[in-house]
Amino acid sequence: MSDQPKTRPQVPDGHSRFVLTRQKQANDKGYVGYDVIWDKFQKEVPYQTPKRP
């Protein structure tokens, strides 16, 4: 196991309908994390009081 390279291969960005994932830079221990970016998939509408009868 000691002959494995310390760097990980660069992974392309992952795209789906509402999520984007990007690979982070490796830290000093060689751990590679990922950023997860969510797009909004619900609309937020300001509340309006209903009409009175």
Side-chain angles (χ1 to χ4, degrees):
M1 286 201 175
S2 62
D3 59 343
Q4 291 181 347
K6 287 284 186 182
T7 59
R8 298 276 308 245
Q10 184 65 27
V11 177
D13 291 349
H15 299 278
S16 68
R17 187 172 176 190
F18 297 112
V19 181
L20 170 69
T21 57
R22 291 188 183 141
Q23 185 178 13
K24 293 182 181 180
Q25 294 293 325
N27 63 7
D28 56 349
K29 295 182 181 180
Y31 175 74
V32 176
Y34 294 90
D35 285 325
V36 178
I37 303 165
W38 287 90
D39 290 334
K40 292 183 179 180
F41 54 90
Q42 288 183 338
K43 292 182 181 178
E44 200 167 310
V45 179
Y47 178 75
Q48 295 177 354
T49 55
K51 294 180 181 178
R52 295 196 171 201

